[in-house]
Every structure is written in C-alpha cells, then in structure tokens.
Amino acid sequence: AFPSEAITIESWIRPEPGQSKFAIIGWAEDQPFESTGSGWFLGATEGKWSFSLATSESTSLIRAQSNSPVRGGLWVHVVGVYDPEEAALTVYVDGERVAIHNNVQGKIRYPEGGFFEIGAFHDSDEFRRFAGGMTEIIVYGRALSGDEINTRFQQTRSQHPQIEIQPEFFDVVWGPFLEWVGPDQVEV
C-alpha cells in the first residue's frame, strides 16, 4: 500500500536536454482546466523541478516548484517530500531545498483508477515519457528531513559522475547507389 500521510520520493536521474515537462515517478490524475486532481508526481513542470500532490483538504494538485531550471545531460538527485506535521510540500535537488509550498494539510488523496508509472506521467488524457537515465527511485512512507536528504545525496553522489554528455554529430554519406537494371544485372 502507498503512504497516505507523509511521503518522500528519492531519485537519481539524468534527463536528456530539452525536456520541460515530465514525471520521474507518480500516480496522479490532473485536470487543470476543471481545477481537479488527485495523487502525486515528482518531475518537472515548465522546465523547473516540481513535486505535485493532492490531499483530502484540496480539490486539485498542489505544486512546489523550484526557480532553478532543469539542466539536461547531468546526473541529478531529486527528492520530493510531503510532511503533514510541517504542513509542507518540498523539493530538494542535489541535497539542497529548492522549493517549498506551505500550509499543505490532509491525507494524500489518490486517484480511484489511473496508472502508477515510473518514467512517465500518465493519466486519462496525457502520456508524457521521461527521456534519459535513472538509477535509483525510492518511496518512503515518512518525511525525510533536510539533513537526511543531504546525507543520502553525499553518500550516493560518487556513483553518479558529473560528466556532461555532448551529442555527437556526423555527416550522412550518400551513394554510391545500386540500381537493378535486369533480373541479374546491377549498375553503380
């Protein structure tokens, strides 16, 4: 069973460049034009790190979103925390808090159906895949503290070297071409 009160989602990912909206992991139904939503997802919205969650006290997803943009091509430690005791929804990147939404209260409200997905956001009218690498995803049934998150980052960062991956460009060579001119004859 998924946590109904506090939750922490920890991940190591390397997004490919150019993505502005994706989910690392989640189980959510989001209908923003109807101002309704349920569940949660960790990822990026509008090119910035975000953690969205619905509670029994909200009608739509509540979002904590960073000011810092997603940088593609590098390993990054991304963590989302819902702590009902602190009434806060928080995002951490590489061990540092980058976003917080306060006054969040209630139990986590899950969709009645839908999809639990790793590497995509998937609900009744959207399906957006994450492009990149993932090495670790952990869901905790409690709110990890900032110190615990920083310790986890420090303990696991050596497994994720910061080598920026550059795309390789190449020229496509055309020809020579073969043309069949008869059942057993070819011209170059």
Side-chain angles (χ1 to χ4, degrees), residues 53-136:
L53 179 135
T55 71
S56 56
E57 303 297 316
S58 66
T59 58
S60 61
L61 291 169
I62 301 163
R63 179 184 305 148
Q65 183 170 316
S66 73
N67 290 322
S68 54
V70 172
R71 283 193 54 212
L74 297 172
W75 285 107
V76 62
H77 184 246
V78 184
V79 179
V81 180
Y82 172 51
D83 186 344
E85 289 183 19
E86 296 293 324
L89 195 62
T90 312
V91 180
Y92 292 82
V93 174
D94 291 342
E96 300 294 323
R97 186 176 77 192
V98 297
I100 188 165
H101 188 128
N102 290 307
N103 300 317
V104 182
Q105 299 175 344
K107 292 187 175 194
I108 300 169
R109 188 167 42 83
Y110 286 93
E112 290 184 20
F115 308 91
F116 171 70
E117 297 269 349
I118 296 174
F121 178 86
H122 191 184
D123 70 0
S124 62
D125 64 348
E126 288 182 88
F127 184 54
R128 291 185 313 275
R129 290 185 178 111
F130 168 78
M134 296 182 175
T135 63
E136 187 172 324

Side-chain angles (χ1 to χ4, degrees), residues 20 55 80 99 155 161 185:
S20 63
T55 71
Q155 289 173 340
Q185 266 185 315

